[in-house]
Amino acid sequence: MVTLSAGIADEHSLQLTFVLFLSVVVITLFTALLTAPQRDEISEFYLGNRAMSPLRNGLAMCGDYVSAATLLGSTGLVALTGYDGLMYLGGTTVAWMMVLLLIAEPLHRTGRFTLGDTVALRLPRRQRSVRLALAVCTLAVATLYLVAQLVGSVALLTQFTGEPSAATRTLCVVVIGTVVIMYASLGGMPGATVIQIIKAVMLVAGVTVTAGWVLHRFDWNPDALLAAAADGSGLGAGFLEPGLRYGGSTVSKLDFFSLELAIVLGLAALPHVLMRLLAPRRTDVLRSSVVWALGLVGVICLAAGVLGLGATALVGRDAIETTDHKGDAAVLLLAHALGGGILTALLTCLAFVTLLAVAAGLTLAAASSLAHDLYGEVIRKGRASETEELTVARLSGAVIGVLGMLLALVAWGTNTATLAFLAFAIAASSILPTIVYTLFWRRFTALGALLSLYGGLACSVLLVLFSPVVSGTPVSFYPDTDVAWFPLQNPGIVSIPAGFLLGWLGTVLSRRQDRDAQEEFEVRALVGARE
């Protein structure tokens, strides 16, 4: 990858970024340790302070969801592809409507600590086998998304130093991964919430101010910004029309639809988002929290669109693509054009903090599922003490963090956004069908849950292995090999319907069971009474 220009990669910017990042890490880590659970109670470790206001809960949800792929990847996509990039940002906002209207309230009423508790209430006879399947899928999704964040830290470092040495990559991943483990394993949900709120406030403020700065350069005239972006793209009016990335062929159109389907449906099945939905004590607080999260994510996506257009207008599409063909450098190039080394350092620090926050939430969600569902309910069959389960949760956080570091070092050259969206597709293909059927289909059985979980996971992973993501193109993981018989980069358009179909098939092939449990579950879903 080509490095940024000498003005951006100067020693002053790098030093200032390091000082700012270190300061934020020290402050947030100290605050997370202060707010960490003081008692050996799993409810406090898993759910944290359940008396938070809707605004603080909404900030935490926003912080859990918005990753560096939004700040860097989405901005770069807009800068390079114009209209197609803006359409992609729209799907990110719509995804929260899916959560608000379909999943949030019934899941909150029937859940306890994890999604496994909801399924166990609905399918008590075979709950252990279903909990095991949920733990496997949760671990797969969370680990893949965690690897995307750690790979993103190396990609971000690359923007300053060029392609780093093996020692530099290892040091970057280990430092970021260790901090993530400390947030998740020591701070639990209270500690993770602290960094999510701080990150969300910094992110909303940072992108809003920078987007305002861009608009100010064009006298607050959006038409002038669009015209300048079209000129800077070198493509004229075609930059503001569909087709630059996803409209050139039928395959690219299907790929775009598959990606949007995975984003819109996958959010409702991401483990760290589901865990956050269980945190508020009251349903009305949850509803307001999701509305706040929807609004905050919408503001960030709108600002990302302005930043992408501003980067094309002020820096030029050719300069962005020459620096980084994926466009991840667009926001940093824009920051340098607007505010020099200081603004570049501020946005780089913000990107690193964004990586930390999302990674901490993912690690905590995976550790909670392993400790509560796998260890507490499957291995110990509900007989584990709270102290024992809490110890396993902390150890699980460390194990998952180390696993993520190792995989990130192997996959460090992979596109960050691609890894993140594959995690969305896997979640939507395996976990989402189980959620929807559990909440809304009275006939649903344990066999249907197992087939949708394992089958959706296997289908999505298999399609990815034989897709251009792994082989067949210059930017594939194995560019010299070509076994890509599946033409799309995102498997969602096939694997998501397959997950739902397998859940239906498993149900109709098995005998209906647990009628009393179903009636109790329906009452719980309507009126709540979780505790």
Side-chain angles (χ1 to χ4, degrees), residues 467-484 486-487 489:
S467 76
V469 172
V470 175
S471 66
T473 68
V475 295
S476 299
F477 195 71
Y478 295 105
D480 299 328
T481 305
D482 188 0
V483 292
F486 183 69
Q489 294 198 28

Side-chain angles (χ1 to χ4, degrees), residues 402-417:
V402 172
L403 176 62
M405 291 184 221
L406 295 175
L407 293 176
L409 291 174
V410 173
W412 72 272
T414 309
N415 186 290
T416 303

Side-chain angles (χ1 to χ4, degrees), residues 121-122 124-125 513-522:
L121 180 65
R122 174 67 177 77
R125 291 185 185 178
Q513 52 192 310
D514 300 324
R515 294 178 182 270
D516 293 338
Q518 166 60 28
E519 294 176 0
E520 180 185 349
F521 183 86
E522 287 185 345

Side-chain angles (χ1 to χ4, degrees), residues 112-337:
R112 191 176 174 221
F113 299 136
T114 66
L115 177 61
D117 292 328
T118 297
V119 179
L121 180 65
R122 174 67 177 77
L123 305 168
R125 291 185 185 178
R126 299 188 62 184
Q127 60 162 300
R128 292 189 181 89
S129 58
V130 178
R131 282 185 188 268
L132 175 60
L134 279 168
V136 170
C137 293
T138 297
L139 182 62
V141 173
T143 302
L144 184 59
Y145 210 171
L146 176 61
V147 170
Q149 307 310 309
L150 296 178
V151 168
S153 69
V154 178
L156 193 56
L157 181 66
T158 300
Q159 305 301 335
F160 278 94
T161 64
E163 186 171 314
S165 65
T168 304
R169 291 197 303 269
T170 303
L171 179 63
C172 179
V173 170
V174 169
V175 169
I176 298 294
T178 302
V179 175
V180 167
I181 290 172
M182 294 178 69
Y183 280 129
S185 295
L186 299 180
M189 179 64 86
T193 299
V194 168
I195 185 176
Q196 302 296 4
I197 292 176
I198 293 175
K199 167 262 187 94
V201 171
M202 291 176 60
L203 185 61
V204 172
V207 298
T208 302
V209 170
T210 308
W213 199 337
V214 170
L215 291 172
H216 178 70
R217 290 286 294 267
F218 294 94
D219 299 322
W220 300 94
N221 186 346
D223 289 337
L225 172 61
L226 291 171
D231 292 339
S233 69
L235 302 171
F239 182 73
L240 303 177
E241 297 175 357
L244 281 182
R245 181 180 177 91
Y246 295 112
S249 65
T250 302
V251 171
S252 65
K253 292 178 181 178
L254 288 174
D255 212 355
F256 177 68
F257 179 74
S258 184
L259 174 64
E260 290 292 302
L261 192 66
I263 293 173
V264 172
L265 299 181
L267 172 64
L270 291 179
H272 59 306
V273 173
L274 292 175
M275 193 171 183
R276 184 66 64 181
L277 295 178
L278 297 172
R281 190 178 300 277
R282 302 198 319 269
T283 303
D284 59 330
V285 174
L286 170 67
R287 189 183 308 118
S288 300
S289 300
V290 177
V291 171
W292 271 110
L294 172 64
L296 292 167
V297 171
V299 168
I300 292 172
C301 289
L302 178 62
V306 173
L307 295 180
L309 294 172
T312 307
L314 298 176
V315 179
R317 185 175 182 270
D318 289 341
I320 296 170
E321 195 167 23
T322 300
T323 302
D324 181 358
H325 67 90
K326 301 189 302 294
D328 288 346
V331 69
L332 301 183
L333 290 166
L334 173 64
H336 187 261

Side-chain angles (χ1 to χ4, degrees), residues 39-47 112-114 116-117 131 184-185 188 275 364-398:
R39 298 166 296 180
D40 290 339
E41 293 184 1
I42 56 174
S43 60
E44 188 177 2
F45 183 86
Y46 292 151
L47 302 180
R112 191 176 174 221
F113 299 136
T114 66
D117 292 328
R131 282 185 188 268
S185 295
M275 193 171 183
L364 177 62
S368 301
S369 181
L370 291 181
H372 184 66
D373 291 323
L374 183 58
Y375 180 80
E377 298 296 335
V378 176
I379 297 177
R380 296 283 286 139
K381 299 180 179 179
R383 295 192 296 266
S385 66
E386 292 200 2
T387 302
E388 185 180 353
E389 186 174 322
L390 186 58
T391 301
V392 173
R394 296 186 191 277
L395 292 176
S396 298

